[in-house]
Amino acid sequence: MTGKTTAVALDKGFTDALTSLGLTPGVVGHATLDSGSVIFPITGGSVKYYTPGTVEPYVQGDIKHNGSGLSLAAGHTTVELTNFDIDPGTSLLYGDVSVNGTPAATHAVLFNLDGSTLQPLQTGADETAILQGTRVLVSEDAAALLNKTFNTDAVKAGLLVGIATITLNTK
């Protein structure tokens, strides 16, 4: 895979939850925030797409996003979630976690992915494949870590972060 992006259109419930907790979101490394979506460059991996119903799961592989991520800050505490690794076959997104620059977890399950809302594969004009509609949800592990770090119990597993659009180069 030669790259492109994974964009997550942030859900208003997620951004409202961050605000109510006094958390300020930000981007890390090569990630960007544009029009309510956080965008992570794809740095490698390999994906196979099968006609839905012929193979389960019908999207399989590994999509890497090294050198970018998301930050959450409150007061003097900043949590960085970086180096995302999507495994569409297990519907999990792994990543590294640091708190104020100190590693807290490596290759931890950060988000669960719900592909039940995934739209059929689309092709873009610039030789890309587009997978749109996967729901990104806070994992149980990430909720526990964030609650412990920010001394709260308000972050709930299953909180909808947003809807993902993965755009991949086909050549």
Side-chain angles (χ1 to χ4, degrees), residues 5-170:
T5 62
T6 297
V8 179
L10 298 174
D11 184 76
K12 184 174 177 356
F14 176 70
T15 57
D16 287 350
L18 294 179
T19 300
S20 72
L21 292 170
L23 297 175
T24 302
V27 293
V28 177
H30 303 289
T32 57
L33 183 60
D34 184 26
S35 302
S37 291
V38 63
I39 303 161
F40 309 99
I42 294 172
T43 58
S46 176
V47 174
K48 287 194 127 204
Y49 178 88
Y50 300 91
T51 302
T54 62
V55 173
E56 283 297 323
Y58 64 91
V59 181
Q60 299 177 16
D62 181 46
I63 305 169
K64 297 186 181 300
H65 305 81
N66 294 328
S68 64
L70 183 66
S71 67
L72 299 171
H76 297 292
T77 303
T78 300
V79 172
E80 290 185 347
L81 311 171
T82 59
N83 301 321
F84 297 152
D85 186 359
I86 297 172
D87 182 343
T90 61
S91 297
L92 298 174
L93 185 151
Y94 299 89
D96 300 333
V97 181
S98 66
V99 178
N100 293 333
T102 301
T106 303
H107 204 68
V109 176
L110 301 179
F111 301 104
N112 297 316
L113 306 173
D114 174 6
S116 67
T117 55
L118 184 64
Q119 298 172 12
L121 181 69
Q122 301 170 27
T123 54
D126 55 350
E127 297 187 24
T128 58
I130 303 165
L131 291 168
Q132 184 174 21
T134 297
R135 293 169 19 110
V136 179
L137 309 162
V138 173
S139 75
E140 189 173 312
D141 292 345
L145 181 79
L146 291 170
N147 283 331
K148 180 179 177 183
T149 301
F150 293 110
N151 195 28
T152 184
D153 62 359
V155 181
K156 303 296 183 200
L159 175 65
L160 177 63
V161 175
I163 304 298
T165 299
I166 301 173
T167 304
L168 308 163
N169 284 330
T170 58

